Amino acid sequence: MSDHRRNAGTGGVFRRKAWLSCLLWIGLCGAASAMQAGAGAAATSASGSGQAAEAKLVTRSTLGAWMLREDAARPGLNCAVKFVPARAGAVGLAILGPTTSSRASSILFDGYGIPSSRSPQQVQVELVQKDLPVTRLNAMQLPGDAASSAGVLAIPAGDIRQTLKSMRDREDEMQLKLVAAPTVSVAYDGLDQARGALLSCLDGKRFVGKSLREATAELRPLGTSTIRGQTFFKGAALAKKKYPPKGSRAVGLIWMTDEFKVWYEQVKRNKKLPEQIPLHILKHFMSTRILDDQGRWEFTNMPAGEYLLVANFSYEKTVNRPEVVGRTDVYRGNQYIGSNDQVAYWSYTVQQGTTFEKKVTVPRDGETIDVALDKSQIYCFIVCF
């Protein structure tokens, strides 16, 4: 993390649905979605804590986006910058300054590659950087998002200003090694701008930049329409509905403009998913969190147009499996006449994934569209096979 170590204390059928689903979940981790997710997180923080927290976009690139959170009511406190990676599954990075309740600063890493913990526990981490000696750090492994398997790792930052000064503006090959866990790779750029924004916030100066809403509007037009609905899977007519976990980003949306359709046709011709999606295409991908235990969700500030909704989540499925555990021989007198298998029936629960989609059209700006984004056995008999 730093140059100075003083503070270290298809082989298969090419199918339309599969491609659209894969493109959606790649695109949703891009800079456009990073800004959208950051806006939601900032709103939650402000309403939940009473703080006037405001999230702003500092900079974005093909690797991801840096966002700044500042508290107008408490200048110099509650300042933080977060790097949201553009690549699906990549580890994110956040740098947190002193707060009203603690003078300590810390660096957070979060992502699916970091083991999740049910409760906070101390761990040791090896930090590996190109052209620098390996550094062993004390860290705290924290519980991650309950709706996912992503974990969080917190490392004390000591003097936040010295730590920021020592960090490289860009890291391409940084690795975190935890005991008895796979090595996690971290990559970012643009820290020179994020560093300046955070230092200004720590000095009590307001960051002059675009709000996330303004930055999003540069990528795609904002409207006044709402698309909302409920998502569930039903495996049989009398089966219980299976809902995506509350808080998970199980529902995504693709804005099906002519620009996107032309690009998508080229992807199909190439028969290859792109590792990174161009910024002018990223604006077509959006995601939202599941609001409750009944699978409800909504997209707001949408312009009129054609959209494709895609649900992607896992649910618990009970599997029954017979197993032959023995054999009983049958005799009549002293004559063997056959055998009967002794069968035990086992029942266990597995995580079953499902993906399905639905087209929606918003005819005029300002309308609210209600959608039932569901998949049932009857529907599958007609469409899925």
Side-chain angles (χ1 to χ4, degrees), residues 242 315-323 344-353:
K242 304 292 185 179
Y315 60 91
E316 289 189 351
K317 178 180 180 181
T318 300
V319 177
N320 298 310
R321 180 175 62 87
E323 181 180 352
Y345 292 89
W346 305 97
S347 179
Y348 54 95
T349 301
V350 298
Q351 288 291 322
Q352 180 72 41

Side-chain angles (χ1 to χ4, degrees), residues 86-101:
R87 184 169 57 84
V91 173
L93 164 69
I95 307 171
L96 284 66
T99 67
T100 52
S101 58

Side-chain angles (χ1 to χ4, degrees), residues 235-385:
L238 300 179
K240 186 178 179 180
K241 294 178 181 178
K242 304 292 185 179
Y243 301 102
K246 178 182 176 181
S248 64
R249 290 191 173 274
V251 175
L253 177 147
I254 302 177
W255 185 26
M256 302 294 287
T257 65
D258 291 339
E259 179 183 32
F260 176 83
K261 291 176 182 178
V262 170
W263 177 82
Y264 177 59
E265 288 300 320
Q266 183 61 50
V267 171
K268 290 198 295 183
R269 286 193 293 270
N270 294 340
K271 296 188 177 182
K272 182 180 179 182
L273 289 174
E275 292 184 3
Q276 292 183 337
I277 298 178
L279 198 58
H280 71 281
I281 296 298
L282 276 176
K283 68 183 180 183
H284 296 81
F285 298 96
M286 287 151 270
S287 71
T288 190
R289 291 191 182 276
I290 300 300
L291 301 175
D292 57 24
D293 294 327
Q294 303 300 310
R296 294 184 178 88
W297 48 266
E298 69 175 19
F299 291 92
T300 58
N301 301 319
M302 306 302 299
E306 178 185 346
Y307 299 92
L308 181 72
L309 292 164
V310 180
N312 186 301
F313 63 95
S314 297
Y315 60 91
E316 289 189 351
K317 178 180 180 181
T318 300
V319 177
N320 298 310
R321 180 175 62 87
E323 181 180 352
V324 177
V325 295
R327 188 180 67 176
T328 301
D329 295 333
V330 180
Y331 292 84
R332 179 178 295 164
N334 292 326
Q335 184 179 2
Y336 171 76
I337 61 174
S339 299
N340 293 325
D341 290 335
Q342 298 175 4
V343 180
Y345 292 89
W346 305 97
S347 179
Y348 54 95
T349 301
V350 298
Q351 288 291 322
Q352 180 72 41
T354 183
T355 300
F356 46 97
E357 64 189 49
K358 188 171 188 176
K359 283 187 177 181
V360 174
T361 299
V362 179
R364 292 174 298 277
D365 194 26
E367 294 196 1
T368 296
I369 308 298
D370 291 298
V371 182
L373 182 59
D374 64 289
K375 181 177 180 181
S376 65
Q377 187 183 50
I378 296 175
Y379 174 80
C380 273
F381 282 149
I382 299 173
V383 178
C384 297
F385 301 104

Side-chain angles (χ1 to χ4, degrees), residues 168-221:
R168 292 169 166 170
D169 294 342
R170 179 185 181 107
E171 287 282 0
D172 296 306
E173 302 177 13
M174 186 165 71
Q175 294 182 330
L176 296 173
K177 293 184 177 180
L178 283 76
V179 177
T183 299
V184 176
S185 297
V186 182
Y188 66 82
D189 61 359
L191 182 59
D192 52 336
Q193 297 182 57
R195 181 191 296 112
L198 183 54
L199 288 173
S200 294
C201 182
L202 293 172
D203 290 335
K205 301 175 183 178
R206 295 282 289 171
F207 177 70
V208 180
K210 296 181 177 66
S211 68
L212 293 178
R213 180 182 175 85
E214 292 170 337
T216 302
E218 288 185 349
L219 294 178
R220 61 176 177 85

Side-chain angles (χ1 to χ4, degrees), residues 57-184:
L57 175 70
V58 177
T59 184
R60 62 174 177 257
S61 68
T62 56
L63 281 181
W66 279 102
M67 297 180 295
L68 170 74
R69 187 201 67 192
E70 56 184 357
D71 190 345
R74 298 172 177 84
L77 296 174
N78 302 321
C79 300
V81 289
K82 179 176 177 61
F83 181 77
V84 181
R87 184 169 57 84
V91 173
L93 164 69
I95 307 171
L96 284 66
T99 67
T100 52
S101 58
S102 174
R103 305 302 298 177
S105 301
S106 60
I107 298 175
L108 300 184
F109 297 92
D110 68 282
Y112 291 100
I114 297 174
S116 182
S117 174
R118 293 187 177 182
S119 60
Q121 55 181 331
Q122 290 188 341
V123 295
Q124 279 203 328
V125 179
E126 286 188 350
L127 182 65
V128 182
Q129 294 171 273
K130 185 177 180 181
D131 301 327
L132 290 175
V134 175
T135 302
R136 179 162 292 188
L137 303 169
N138 292 320
M140 185 69 71
Q141 191 174 350
L142 303 175
D145 188 350
S148 72
S149 59
V152 179
L153 197 65
I155 299 176
D159 183 339
I160 185 64
R161 296 177 184 274
Q162 182 61 36
T163 298
L164 285 169
K165 181 179 179 181
S166 67
M167 292 178 67
R168 292 169 166 170
D169 294 342
R170 179 185 181 107
E171 287 282 0
D172 296 306
E173 302 177 13
M174 186 165 71
Q175 294 182 330
L176 296 173
K177 293 184 177 180
L178 283 76
V179 177
T183 299
V184 176

